Amino acid sequence: MKSFFKKLSVVLAAACVAASVPAFEMPVLAADQTDGLETVELYPEGYEGSNKDFNNIAYYTEAGGYHIILHEGTYYINGQLRLNSNTYLDATGCKMIETKNGSRLLTQPYDRDGYKQAKGFGSIHDVTINGGTWVGTKKLLDSNVNVKNGQKTGANVINFWHAKNITIENLSVYNEYNAHLIELCGVKNGKILNCNIGCYKKNGKMKRGFSTGDKLRGAIQLDFCSKSGNRSSQPFDGTTCQNITIKGNYIWHPTAIQIANDSRKKTKNVTVKNNTLRCKNKWVSGRMNKVTGFKQSGNKVKKF
């Protein structure tokens, strides 16, 4: 009996201590990324010669403030889907095909909120792209092709700059012509998680997408805002990337990751973890020593 009361007193004492813990010390769950966003559901037109898929999606992405759910199917995109702040785009189970030569598929508005004056990380914020298979083009623009280092360059498939809180997750992205599949240029708090980059799954097997051009161009590029690095990244104030996590991805590309730095500033805090790298070059090693806080762990290397 004494033993019983002793155990009971211990339990009651523990309960009293728990009750006395201030509320601010208790764990707090993070808010859902879609909280406060208006939900809209869209369906594919499924016709390559139509502008309807592009126009329907672009209406909401450019406005911002929406949780956009794309129902399964094939969407034909003849232009650049520009995502404004506070946008969650869920393309799970969808195939998104770019039909305009040399065009980006996902980027941000040029003309919103005075972007040319938005220095640092002040352009757009809180954007998530979740799921989907994103297929870039195999061809260059029909005119005004940029030439860099003696080579004609294409458009990055996914590209954000002067931005913060950008998440790209659970998607496949492939096909590029002398460009990057994902470029974060002057982005703070960027995440690239659980994606197939440069490849996609078909019948349970991984397939490589189309790639041509400079073999040292990374599938993922972490760039700084400059005319030489990215001609769209105005203002050219040299803003570099900070706090970038690249985790759990399967990358099949000549070079996995490329990092560029302004001569005055350094890219900061890049974590590369638990990725499968099926590449000739893991990264452009000459640039990595200019990164402050570069960490890698658990990455598996497979034969290219």
Side-chain angles (χ1 to χ4, degrees), residues 228-265:
S228 62
N230 188 318
R231 295 185 302 165
S232 301
S233 64
Q234 296 183 50
F236 302 132
D237 61 356
T239 299
T240 55
C241 288
Q242 294 184 21
N243 307 337
I244 306 297
T245 300
I246 301 170
K247 181 180 178 182
N249 305 287
Y250 192 112
I251 306 175
W252 193 352
H253 198 263
T255 295
I257 302 168
Q258 183 178 0
I259 299 181
N261 291 273
D262 183 86
S263 59
R264 300 161 296 165
K265 304 177 182 179

Side-chain angles (χ1 to χ4, degrees), residues 42-56:
L42 302 175
Y43 294 83
E45 170 77 4
Y47 174 53
E48 187 172 353
S50 172
N51 295 330
K52 189 174 180 180
D53 286 337
F54 173 73
N55 291 338
N56 285 350

Side-chain angles (χ1 to χ4, degrees), residues 85-132:
S85 297
N86 300 311
T87 295
Y88 189 107
L89 179 58
D90 190 343
T92 302
C94 302
K95 190 170 187 178
M96 316 295 292
I97 302 176
E98 178 62 75
T99 61
K100 184 176 181 180
N101 290 344
S103 177
R104 294 186 185 96
L105 248 176
L106 290 166
T107 186
Q108 64 196 69
Y110 280 121
D111 54 355
R112 300 279 178 176
D113 304 322
Y115 81 96
K116 289 185 178 181
Q117 289 73 45
K119 296 182 179 180
F121 308 109
S123 180
I124 63 165
H125 58 85
D126 296 287
V127 169
T128 296
I129 305 118
N130 178 50

Side-chain angles (χ1 to χ4, degrees), residues 104-172:
R104 294 186 185 96
L105 248 176
L106 290 166
T107 186
Q108 64 196 69
Y110 280 121
D111 54 355
R112 300 279 178 176
D113 304 322
Y115 81 96
K116 289 185 178 181
Q117 289 73 45
K119 296 182 179 180
F121 308 109
S123 180
I124 63 165
H125 58 85
D126 296 287
V127 169
T128 296
I129 305 118
N130 178 50
T133 298
W134 300 82
V135 186
T137 65
K138 298 180 181 180
K139 298 180 180 180
L140 295 168
L141 291 168
D142 296 323
S143 60
N144 299 321
V145 176
N146 182 36
V147 178
K148 185 176 181 180
N149 299 327
Q151 290 186 317
K152 293 181 179 180
T153 62
N156 302 322
V157 182
I158 302 174
N159 199 173
F160 294 95
W161 57 86
H162 284 298
K164 61 184 177 182
N165 305 335
I166 305 296
T167 300
I168 301 165
E169 59 185 0
N170 307 318
L171 57 78
S172 296

